[in-house]
Short mmCIF file of all heavy atoms in Angstrom, two decimals:
data_model
loop_
_atom_site.label_atom_id
_atom_site.label_comp_id
_atom_site.label_asym_id
_atom_site.label_seq_id
_atom_site.Cartn_x
_atom_site.Cartn_y
_atom_site.Cartn_z
N ASP A 43 127.35 71.54 90.68
CA ASP A 43 126.03 71.48 90.05
C ASP A 43 125.12 70.73 91.00
O ASP A 43 125.58 70.12 91.97
CB ASP A 43 126.13 70.74 88.72
CG ASP A 43 125.00 71.07 87.78
OD1 ASP A 43 124.08 71.81 88.16
OD2 ASP A 43 125.03 70.58 86.64
N PHE A 44 123.84 70.76 90.74
CA PHE A 44 122.88 69.99 91.52
C PHE A 44 122.23 68.95 90.63
O PHE A 44 121.88 69.24 89.49
CB PHE A 44 121.81 70.90 92.14
CG PHE A 44 122.35 71.75 93.26
CD1 PHE A 44 122.80 73.04 93.02
CD2 PHE A 44 122.45 71.24 94.54
CE1 PHE A 44 123.31 73.82 94.04
CE2 PHE A 44 122.96 72.01 95.57
CZ PHE A 44 123.40 73.31 95.32
N GLN A 45 122.12 67.74 91.15
CA GLN A 45 121.46 66.65 90.43
C GLN A 45 120.49 65.99 91.39
O GLN A 45 120.67 66.03 92.61
CB GLN A 45 122.49 65.64 89.92
CG GLN A 45 123.44 66.24 88.91
CD GLN A 45 124.46 65.24 88.39
OE1 GLN A 45 124.43 64.07 88.73
NE2 GLN A 45 125.38 65.73 87.58
N MET A 46 119.48 65.36 90.83
CA MET A 46 118.48 64.68 91.66
C MET A 46 118.94 63.26 91.95
O MET A 46 119.41 62.55 91.06
CB MET A 46 117.13 64.67 90.95
CG MET A 46 116.52 66.05 90.77
SD MET A 46 116.20 66.91 92.33
CE MET A 46 114.77 66.04 92.89
N ALA A 47 118.80 62.85 93.19
CA ALA A 47 119.08 61.48 93.61
C ALA A 47 118.01 61.09 94.63
O ALA A 47 117.87 61.75 95.66
CB ALA A 47 120.47 61.37 94.22
N LYS A 48 117.26 60.06 94.31
CA LYS A 48 116.17 59.60 95.19
C LYS A 48 115.21 60.74 95.51
O LYS A 48 114.76 60.90 96.64
CB LYS A 48 116.72 58.98 96.46
CG LYS A 48 117.54 57.73 96.21
CD LYS A 48 118.00 57.12 97.51
CE LYS A 48 118.83 55.88 97.20
NZ LYS A 48 119.31 55.20 98.39
N GLY A 49 114.93 61.55 94.51
CA GLY A 49 113.98 62.64 94.67
C GLY A 49 114.49 63.85 95.42
O GLY A 49 113.74 64.78 95.68
N GLN A 50 115.76 63.86 95.78
CA GLN A 50 116.35 64.99 96.51
C GLN A 50 117.50 65.58 95.71
O GLN A 50 118.29 64.83 95.12
CB GLN A 50 116.88 64.52 97.87
CG GLN A 50 115.83 63.96 98.80
CD GLN A 50 114.84 65.01 99.26
OE1 GLN A 50 115.21 66.15 99.52
NE2 GLN A 50 113.58 64.64 99.34
N PRO A 51 117.64 66.90 95.72
CA PRO A 51 118.80 67.48 95.03
C PRO A 51 120.07 67.26 95.85
O PRO A 51 120.07 67.40 97.07
CB PRO A 51 118.46 68.97 94.95
CG PRO A 51 117.49 69.20 96.07
CD PRO A 51 116.76 67.91 96.28
N ILE A 52 121.12 66.86 95.17
CA ILE A 52 122.43 66.74 95.82
C ILE A 52 123.42 67.60 95.04
O ILE A 52 123.29 67.77 93.83
CB ILE A 52 122.93 65.28 95.90
CG1 ILE A 52 123.08 64.67 94.51
CG2 ILE A 52 122.03 64.44 96.78
CD1 ILE A 52 123.86 63.38 94.49
N ARG A 53 124.38 68.13 95.76
CA ARG A 53 125.42 68.94 95.12
C ARG A 53 126.52 68.02 94.63
O ARG A 53 127.02 67.18 95.35
CB ARG A 53 126.00 69.97 96.09
CG ARG A 53 126.95 70.94 95.40
CD ARG A 53 127.46 71.96 96.35
NE ARG A 53 128.58 71.39 97.07
CZ ARG A 53 129.58 72.08 97.58
NH1 ARG A 53 129.57 73.38 97.49
NH2 ARG A 53 130.55 71.50 98.21
N VAL A 54 126.89 68.20 93.36
CA VAL A 54 127.99 67.46 92.77
C VAL A 54 129.13 68.46 92.56
O VAL A 54 128.97 69.45 91.86
CB VAL A 54 127.58 66.83 91.42
CG1 VAL A 54 128.75 66.11 90.79
CG2 VAL A 54 126.39 65.89 91.61
N LEU A 55 130.25 68.20 93.22
CA LEU A 55 131.40 69.09 93.16
C LEU A 55 132.36 68.61 92.07
O LEU A 55 132.56 67.40 91.90
CB LEU A 55 132.12 69.09 94.51
CG LEU A 55 133.35 69.98 94.61
CD1 LEU A 55 132.93 71.45 94.61
CD2 LEU A 55 134.12 69.66 95.87
N TYR A 56 132.97 69.55 91.37
CA TYR A 56 133.96 69.24 90.34
C TYR A 56 135.32 69.76 90.82
O TYR A 56 135.66 70.92 90.59
CB TYR A 56 133.58 69.87 89.00
CG TYR A 56 132.20 69.47 88.54
CD1 TYR A 56 131.17 70.40 88.45
CD2 TYR A 56 131.92 68.14 88.21
CE1 TYR A 56 129.91 70.03 88.02
CE2 TYR A 56 130.65 67.76 87.79
CZ TYR A 56 129.64 68.71 87.69
OH TYR A 56 128.39 68.34 87.28
N PRO A 57 136.10 68.91 91.52
CA PRO A 57 137.36 69.36 92.12
C PRO A 57 138.33 69.97 91.11
O PRO A 57 139.05 70.93 91.43
CB PRO A 57 137.95 68.10 92.75
CG PRO A 57 136.82 67.16 92.89
CD PRO A 57 135.84 67.50 91.81
N GLU A 58 138.36 69.44 89.90
CA GLU A 58 139.28 69.99 88.90
C GLU A 58 138.90 71.42 88.51
O GLU A 58 139.77 72.24 88.24
CB GLU A 58 139.35 69.08 87.67
CG GLU A 58 138.08 68.97 86.85
CD GLU A 58 136.99 68.06 87.42
OE1 GLU A 58 137.19 67.40 88.45
OE2 GLU A 58 135.90 68.02 86.82
N ILE A 59 137.61 71.72 88.54
CA ILE A 59 137.19 73.10 88.24
C ILE A 59 137.48 74.01 89.42
O ILE A 59 137.91 75.15 89.24
CB ILE A 59 135.71 73.14 87.81
CG1 ILE A 59 135.54 72.37 86.50
CG2 ILE A 59 135.23 74.58 87.65
CD1 ILE A 59 134.11 72.25 86.02
N VAL A 60 137.29 73.50 90.65
CA VAL A 60 137.66 74.27 91.84
C VAL A 60 139.13 74.66 91.74
O VAL A 60 139.51 75.82 91.96
CB VAL A 60 137.39 73.48 93.14
CG1 VAL A 60 137.99 74.20 94.35
CG2 VAL A 60 135.89 73.26 93.34
#
Side-chain angles (χ1 to χ4, degrees):
D43 202 356
F44 288 95
Q45 296 180 5
M46 294 299 285
K48 297 183 180 180
Q50 298 293 321
I52 61 166
R53 187 178 83 152
V54 178
L55 181 71
Y56 304 114
E58 66 282 356
I59 296 176
V60 170

